[in-house]
Amino acid sequence: MNVRTAVSDERQAAEIAQPVAWHALPADAVLARLETSDEGLDLDEAKRRLERYGPNQLPAPRPRHPVLRFLAQFNNTLIYFLLSAAVVAAIIGHVVDAGVIVGVVLVNAIVGFIQEGRAEEALNAIRDMIAPHARVLRGGRQHDADARAIVPGDVVLMEAGDKAPADIRLLRARNLKVDEAILTGESVPAEKEERPTGTDAALGDRHSMVFSGTLLATGQATGIVVATGSGTEIGRISTMIGGIRTLETPLLVQINRFGRIFTLVAMTTAAALMAFAMLVHAYPWADALMIVVALAVGVVPEGLPAVITITLAIGVRRMARRNAVVRRLPAVETLGAVSVICSDKTGTLTKNEMTARRIATSDGESLVSGSGYAPEGAIGEDDTPPNRSETELVRSALLCNDAQLVEADGRWSVLGDPMEGALVTLAMKAGLHPETERSSWARMDEIPFDAQHRFMATLNRDPAGGGRIFVKGAPERVLAMCARQAASNAGATEGGETELDAAYWRRRIAAAAANGERVLGFAAAVAPAALERLAFEDVETGLVFLGIVGFIDPPREEAMAAVADCRSAGIAVKMITGDHVDTAAAIARQLAIAHDPRAMTGAEIDAVPDAELGAVVEAVSVFARTSPEHKLRIVRALQNNGHVVAMTGDGVNDAPSLKQADVGIAMGRKGTEAAKEAAEMVLVDDNFASIVAAVHEGRTVFDNIRKVISWTVPTNGGETICVVLAILLGLALPMSPVQILWINMILTVTLGLVLAFEPAEPNVMRRPPRGRNAPLVTGFLAWRILFVSILFTIGVFGIFEYAMRSGQGERVARTMVVNTLVVMEIFYLFNVRYLHMTSFNLKGVLGTPAVLGAIGVVVAAQLAFTYAPFMHALFESAPVAIGDGAVIIAIGVVTMLVLEAEKALMRRMGALRPADT
Ligand code: ATP
């Protein structure tokens, strides 16, 4: 142990034994005790402390012991039944049968164990993709840090929607309310402020503290980290939460419930048949019992739930690869049924790479050259410096602004809001130096931007010692705060002001917005020198309007393609944005969201009663200047119309609509933790195209589950019909119980699994979404299962009769039956891989490497089954002549042809409507 750890251990031990009452200490004392300053730790010290205190995370819940996980595989009614059958078989002398049954149960458990492990691994791997981040000050600069790297002494910046990354003593709080329900159970957000509390204050009353894991409901805060990881309040009471914890989805629950009922019915029927066989056909009870075992074994698709679980897990992994991280597994199923996607505009449909393109003051308008964040370009003509009004405007844009530009290897990028970054670039193009301006116009206070009030304001000390207020925000909002405007021309008063010409500005705003530009308005006012705190009353009226800036934020190219995909997939796209209605409509037109998109503002939505909103939301595709409440109404109205709605959100107030939507989607980059928590899915790249990719994967998953079912169940159906018929008619069983088990096992763990990995069918995004309540097994699929079961039965009895008549005896006949069923399944697999179109295409015939590999395994297993002496002993199989092998393959080919003919016929009759196949 080195000295430093020894010291830290002592110190930690001391702190644990006698916890410091951080909440009661004045801020200065907290800084001093933690040996830090309000500029934060320097980078080296942060690194040292990380080594000393360890990562800021809670201990992960202990995973279930592998042995327990393995044993859990046996906890299933059917397995109990199989094991009891094995015991009975052993008692009555069928020792080999008993051994095989136990062997098969073991294989089933091993496969289940491995698949479950892989599914969990897939889910754990994506957890890291959405690990929380935090903004920290280190060495006086802002950093975006992984929340796990935060250490005591770090200075953290937080705002509404953030989740506190550690226990934090506030240094500064503005309008701060924190939802502490996870700690105190109190659902009303607690008000916070930096003043220390009494030493004895209870947890819920420590208003100078923000505790790890709690959510900031409103406001902004800066604070110093006092405890991390398991040293935090939440760390004392719980281990890690979050991520995906369950593999259960409604679909799996439904299938498991179905499986249980099915098993019970099968057992009861089997018992009735046993009685029938003994009473009517006078079977000896031991034989009758083995028949019942055969039936029960044949009827239950034992591998199905495991294959479906892995299909879902693969879906989750594929989605993650396409930047959509599913937080709740049921979303995988729901995504496939989405019929409307409601999307934000900025950053999702557009690039969120802003460039200030136009600047308009009362003197006129100038275009700005250059693109991106590099400060290269100029306002207006290259060789004329910006005029006074423009410089005034640009200065206010630089000061009422929290963004920083950083340059690395000649590339400029933004720390903070991209639009604010573009304003810093603009200021540099106008010849202003950000650092110099910001230090000579020190900021005293601010009202942070909030989507609700749509502006931001700052109070600055001017170089001469006076006070100035700067405001920027949605232009019509800022106009409403102004009575006068800045002017340098004739008619101006001495201070350079004239009456506000609102009509002039509205024209300017409309012209820029119609171009698809995002527009901001700017205003300023002189403040009393003594003013130290900025309140809403200080900015509501009496400001001087400085002008507007228009930004271009080009649509994402991939979003355009994704919108087109949605159109062909029958999915409506609605843009719901906080931006100006004309800007939104122009971007919607560029993206071809609708031919001539109808647009509406939040205020207009307010005027529509609920009863009429249903029709409105169908017809309108752009909703602008909306607030989170509008989003909630829109989702509800769409859902009332029967839609399955996916909705994006990023702000703290979006949580209700994200929860209401069938698939709530949070932005990974610009989304708040509050939004991520409420969402089913998180987009790592904030990109609309990733939503559509996830829908594509969701549809594929659902298709594959249907394929797995419609491929697996007929095997059981065929086997069951054969056994029942044999008993009713008093015939010899065409397969023994262990042979039935062999077929089920060998097929499920090979070909059944392959279906879970199937790629999407080519037309997956060219058909309408499935209905909200469309059943998993549709009329067509039910028919399909019955039809294929009957085909299998014909095949089984046909080959059995053929073999018996040619005098080959029961062992050979049964071996041929097993081979025939397997071969028919192989051919049926090719048919089922394309549920919606013919399988006679090059890709279909060639299969995938996975399909071919699995077929190779099955063929090898069947050859062993048929020709290996040890298999003869285990399964009572016997070698089959080459000519008979050819007959078996011919049966497979005929099966394929019949099924393709049936698919074509169904398509022609219209029974195979894409929506419900
Ligand atoms: P979307 O919902 O598509 O993401 P948005 O980003 O335009 O839209 P908000 O962030 O709610 O929506 O912004 C609404 C309006 O508020 C913007 O159109 C702009 O006029 C103004 N605004 C946005 N960010 C700021 C900011 N940092 N400072 C001042 N005003 C802002």
Side-chain angles (χ1 to χ4, degrees):
M1 184 187 285
N2 63 33
V3 178
R4 189 182 294 145
T5 11
V7 169
S8 91
D9 283 352
E10 262 168 39
R11 176 172 170 168
Q12 271 182 339
E15 278 169 14
I16 289 165
Q18 204 179 30
V20 183
W22 299 109
H23 52 279
L25 290 178
D28 292 345
V30 177
L31 289 170
R33 259 194 103 128
L34 288 165
E35 293 162 27
T36 181
S37 76
D38 53 7
E39 300 240 301
L41 299 169
D42 67 43
L43 292 174
D44 290 337
E45 177 61 16
K47 210 179 280 169
R48 269 195 298 278
R49 291 197 187 186
L50 185 59
E51 269 170 34
R52 196 195 303 167
Y53 290 98
N56 174 33
Q57 63 189 17
L58 299 179
R62 194 181 301 192
R64 239 181 340 156
H65 194 278
V67 172
L68 284 181
R69 220 157 52 74
F70 183 68
L71 288 179
Q73 305 294 326
F74 295 91
N75 184 13
N76 160 333
T77 333
L78 179 82
I79 302 293
Y80 296 155
F81 174 74
L82 282 179
L83 289 176
S84 348
V87 172
V88 176
I91 293 171
I92 62 177
H94 290 253
V95 182
V96 178
D97 287 322
V100 172
I101 294 177
V102 172
V104 165
V105 167
L106 275 178
V107 171
N108 192 43
I110 292 170
V111 171
F113 176 75
I114 295 173
Q115 286 177 354
E116 198 184 271
R118 283 174 55 179
E120 276 181 9
E121 233 169 66
L123 300 184
N124 285 339
I126 62 173
R127 200 184 316 226
D128 280 349
M129 292 177 73
I130 49 172
H133 279 233
R135 271 192 303 149
V136 291
L137 270 186
R138 283 184 182 160
R141 288 191 78 116
Q142 275 188 39
H143 292 263
D144 179 34
D146 184 333
R148 285 171 296 195
I150 284 180
V151 292
D154 261 330
V155 173
V156 179
L157 310 170
M158 297 177 291
E159 59 187 16
D162 285 351
K163 192 171 176 181
D167 281 2
I168 290 164
R169 168 68 168 85
L170 292 169
L171 294 177
R172 186 162 177 279
R174 288 266 345 179
N175 190 23
L176 186 64
K177 287 194 186 150
V178 180
D179 176 353
E180 297 186 323
I182 58 160
L183 275 183
T184 60
E186 174 58 59
S187 59
V188 179
E191 289 190 24
K192 299 282 178 176
E193 54 178 322
E194 58 267 23
R195 230 171 12 93
T197 59
T199 320
D200 299 334
L203 201 62
D205 299 328
R206 294 184 189 168
H207 55 66
S208 58
M209 296 287 298
V210 176
F211 297 105
S212 180
T214 58
L215 280 171
L216 274 67
T218 59
Q220 265 192 336
T222 308
I224 172 163
V225 173
V226 297
T228 58
S230 42
T232 58
E233 288 299 330
I234 188 81
R236 288 179 221 269
I237 57 175
S238 80
T239 50
M240 188 142 70
I241 43 175
I244 305 169
R245 264 156 295 150
T246 164
L247 286 171
E248 289 276 278
T249 77
L251 187 70
L252 273 179
V253 170
Q254 205 181 325
I255 287 175
N256 281 332
R257 191 182 325 120
F258 172 76
R260 268 198 304 278
I261 296 173
F262 199 66
T263 310
L264 281 179
V265 172
M267 284 181 195
T268 324
T269 320
L273 275 170
M274 178 172 170
F276 179 86
M278 286 169 64
L279 297 176
V280 178
H281 294 301
Y283 279 48
W285 74 269
D287 287 358
L289 185 72
M290 286 317 286
I291 293 174
V292 168
V293 173
L295 183 64
V297 168
V299 84
V300 180
E302 49 273 73
L304 199 56
V307 176
I308 290 179
T309 309
I310 193 95
T311 312
L312 287 168
I314 289 166
V316 170
R317 218 172 51 202
R318 284 186 182 164
M319 288 177 186
R321 232 178 268 147
R322 301 178 76 166
N323 289 327
V325 175
V326 171
R327 293 186 66 242
R328 300 198 178 90
L329 209 51
V332 181
E333 296 161 29
T334 323
L335 270 165
V338 162
S339 62
V340 179
I341 304 176
C342 298
S343 173
D344 283 354
K345 173 177 72 66
T346 312
T348 314
L349 290 163
T350 65
K351 292 186 175 161
N352 205 8
E353 286 165 13
M354 305 270 177
T355 309
R357 178 44 35 97
R358 158 194 331 251
I359 166 167
T361 61
S362 58
D363 296 341
E365 191 174 275
S366 305
L367 292 182
V368 185
S369 59
S371 69
Y373 297 110
E376 290 147 15
I379 297 177
E381 299 300 319
D382 272 351
D383 37 11
T384 50
N387 63 35
R388 209 187 83 197
S389 328
E390 285 169 344
T391 309
E392 271 299 283
L393 190 163
V394 169
R395 175 174 293 115
S396 76
L398 177 64
L399 297 172
C400 184
N401 188 322
D402 291 321
Q404 281 178 7
L405 283 189
V406 281
E407 193 218 332
D409 307 328
R411 259 187 60 93
W412 290 80
S413 57
V414 181
L415 270 180
D417 180 48
M419 193 169 54
E420 295 192 343
L423 288 173
V424 179
T425 305
L426 178 71
M428 290 169 81
K429 286 177 185 172
L432 299 181
H433 189 269
E435 247 111 74
T436 319
E437 293 291 328
R438 282 174 173 171
S439 62
S440 51
W441 290 77
R443 189 187 293 182
M444 312 300 297
D445 196 18
E446 78 262 307
I447 298 174
F449 171 74
D450 184 304
Q452 211 83 346
H453 55 247
R454 293 202 183 98
F455 71 84
M456 164 180 180
T458 60
L459 172 65
N460 298 61
R461 189 73 66 230
D462 71 26
R468 284 281 270 175
I469 294 171
F470 296 109
V471 175
K472 78 173 192 308
E476 66 278 14
R477 181 77 174 89
V478 179
L479 270 179
M481 302 164 156
C482 298
R484 307 183 64 74
Q485 65 190 40
S488 53
N489 294 355
T493 59
E494 210 167 295
E497 290 172 20
T498 54
E499 250 345 89
L500 183 74
D501 182 357
Y504 165 82
W505 293 113
R506 288 211 183 89
R507 277 198 308 279
R508 290 275 184 215
I509 294 164
N515 254 347
E517 284 170 30
R518 188 177 163 94
V519 188
L520 274 192
F522 297 82
V526 175
L531 192 67
E532 292 207 327
R533 284 246 149 177
L534 198 54
F536 271 87
E537 304 86 81
D538 300 322
V539 295
E540 281 300 359
T541 51
L543 303 183
V544 179
F545 199 73
L546 299 177
I548 59 169
V549 172
F551 302 81
I552 48 165
D553 174 20
R556 289 174 179 263
E557 283 105 36
E558 62 279 23
M560 219 170 297
V563 168
D565 269 354
C566 286
R567 196 171 320 108
S568 71
I571 300 169
V573 178
K574 312 266 175 207
M575 177 194 283
I576 307 186
T577 170
D579 214 337
H580 192 281
V581 64
D582 293 339
T583 311
I587 299 283
R589 228 169 280 122
Q590 288 170 25
L591 285 164
I593 282 184
H595 176 57
D596 186 17
R598 269 191 62 191
M600 194 171 186
T601 62
E604 286 163 353
I605 298 175
D606 286 336
V608 180
D610 277 340
E612 289 163 31
L613 195 61
V616 170
V617 292
E618 289 294 329
V620 175
S621 40
V622 175
F623 299 92
R625 290 288 189 236
T626 50
S627 65
E629 296 79 58
H630 296 123
K631 279 189 165 183
L632 191 59
R633 272 190 83 203
I634 295 170
V635 181
R636 289 209 174 115
L638 285 166
Q639 285 173 329
N640 284 342
N641 290 353
H643 285 293
V644 177
V645 183
M647 159 142 332
T648 64
D650 47 22
V652 59
N653 296 325
D654 285 335
S657 49
L658 289 176
K659 284 203 179 119
Q660 174 73 34
D662 298 277
V663 185
I665 304 170
M667 299 300 149
R669 287 196 198 155
K670 70 172 191 160
T672 56
E673 283 303 314
K676 288 182 200 167
E677 257 172 40
E680 264 90 28
M681 192 169 95
V682 176
L683 292 185
V684 177
D685 59 355
D686 293 11
N687 189 344
F688 181 78
S690 304
I691 305 177
V692 181
V695 170
H696 178 279
E697 293 301 342
R699 287 185 172 199
T700 309
V701 165
F702 205 78
D703 275 359
N704 286 354
I705 290 176
R706 278 181 166 169
K707 286 174 192 177
V708 169
I709 291 178
S710 57
W711 182 82
T712 313
V713 176
T715 324
N716 304 95
E719 289 161 349
T720 311
I721 299 177
C722 291
V723 176
V724 172
L725 274 183
I727 296 175
L728 292 180
L729 303 176
L731 304 174
L733 269 190
M735 295 157 285
S736 71
V738 289
Q739 288 171 344
I740 290 181
L741 268 180
W742 164 260
I743 297 172
N744 289 2
M745 281 323 297
I746 183 70
L747 288 176
T748 323
V749 301
T750 53
L751 296 176
L753 258 187
V754 163
L755 284 175
F757 288 90
E758 273 292 279
E761 287 189 42
N763 68 352
V764 69
M765 291 302 271
R766 265 179 265 134
R767 53 186 146 98
R770 67 169 204 269
R772 171 180 277 278
N773 296 318
L776 187 60
V777 178
T778 55
F780 171 72
L781 277 194
W783 147 254
R784 208 16 148 38
I785 289 170
L786 183 69
F787 181 60
V788 179
S789 302
I790 293 172
L791 277 186
F792 283 2
T793 311
I794 296 172
V796 165
F797 273 111
I799 200 79
F800 190 69
E801 272 304 299
Y802 163 81
M804 293 302 276
R805 285 201 187 168
S806 55
Q808 302 200 56
E810 204 168 81
R811 276 182 85 122
V812 177
R814 285 181 165 182
T815 311
M816 285 171 70
V817 163
V818 172
N819 278 303
T820 307
L821 252 183
V822 172
V823 166
M824 288 174 98
E825 281 284 7
I826 292 177
F827 279 95
Y828 177 40
L829 181 84
F830 279 91
N831 172 279
V832 110
R833 289 187 60 223
Y834 294 92
L835 273 179
H836 302 277
M837 54 189 279
T838 174
S839 305
F840 289 135
N841 58 60
L842 191 63
K843 256 186 160 166
V845 174
L846 289 181
T848 59
V851 169
L852 298 180
I855 291 179
V857 173
V858 174
V859 169
Q862 279 312 114
L863 288 175
F865 178 86
T866 313
Y867 298 107
F870 75 95
M871 294 295 257
H872 297 163
L874 285 177
F875 289 99
E876 295 181 356
S877 50
V880 172
I882 299 288
D884 289 339
V887 173
I888 292 172
I889 291 173
I891 294 179
V893 174
V894 172
T895 311
M896 172 89 178
L897 292 176
V898 170
L899 285 170
E900 281 299 310
E902 177 250 15
K903 208 181 345 178
L905 190 70
M906 285 290 179
R907 263 213 311 275
R908 181 143 339 140
M909 284 172 25
L912 230 156
R913 272 190 302 122
D916 54 24
T917 49

